[in-house]
Amino acid sequence: MTGVAGVLRAADLRTGATAWTHRLPSGDASTVLGAADGVVYALDATDSSSSTAALDAVRAVDGTSLWRRTVAWASGEPLAAFGGRVYTADGTEVTARDARTGAIVATSPTGFRCDHLVTGGRYLVCTGSPSFAGDTFPPMRRLDPATLRPLPTPKNTSDKPVRGLISDDGVLVLYEAGAEDTSAGNWNAYDLNSNRRLWSSDATESDAAIADDRFVTFTRVSDRTTRGRVITLDLHAGPRATGAAAPRMSEPYPQTRDAEHPLLIVPPGPTAHLLVLARTHASLRSLQLP
């Protein structure tokens, strides 16, 4: 499924042929996609600086429109769908809607500010804004998906939260760095269910993903012996793990280096491979998951 220039396109994964297309009634400046229970959701904004967007629900099998709502939304905020609800954020408040009708069923409490929403699996976590450059940042807070009220959350560092990923079993891996220089930070892993910090790995800021219960990213550019590789870490044990949980690295591949500004693309579900998209010298290559 892709959303480009205001058009949703679905492809048959077995053949690559187009299954259906659906033109969104609004513009095409920003399109954020989500899917759950046979429905595709699209946030579409005519202007990325606007404080609102159109939220469309489309049937996954044939592209039939189910409903459409105008929602409060901030550019860069994600769309989450699970448990019969769809969640959106506007940089201040989180809103939950009924997946069948689009009607609002919950909002985050008055007086609680959610600068940025991180989501994955069936988890919602509020952090400070990645675009803010102050000296201090609000602590991250997990939200109850039913009520959107804050829940007990592991204590995070005082650094700027730049990017976060959450696994299906509730491990949050958050890249935190100094506000003025985000190239010298750490990936920190937190267990959202036991409310404890699991591990930390120093790294330059780079793309990352979660695949087969492992954290996937690129080796550090400054490490001449290992750079140019994809590295995976056990989500619970981290970089110091041994045995079957020990870190694993791919063979060297020049286009995983920082100068290529590479992106990781992980196919949905269990997978034995991933895609590396090099953006300087454009190419897309499938690599075996280490």
Side-chain angles (χ1 to χ4, degrees), residues 83-97:
R85 293 187 172 192
V86 186
Y87 300 89
T88 56
D90 64 3
T92 301
E93 186 177 74
V94 180
T95 301
R97 295 176 180 271

Side-chain angles (χ1 to χ4, degrees), residues 74 89-94 108-109 112-116:
D90 64 3
T92 301
E93 186 177 74
V94 180
S108 52
F112 173 78
R113 182 182 176 91
C114 185
D115 293 297
H116 178 60

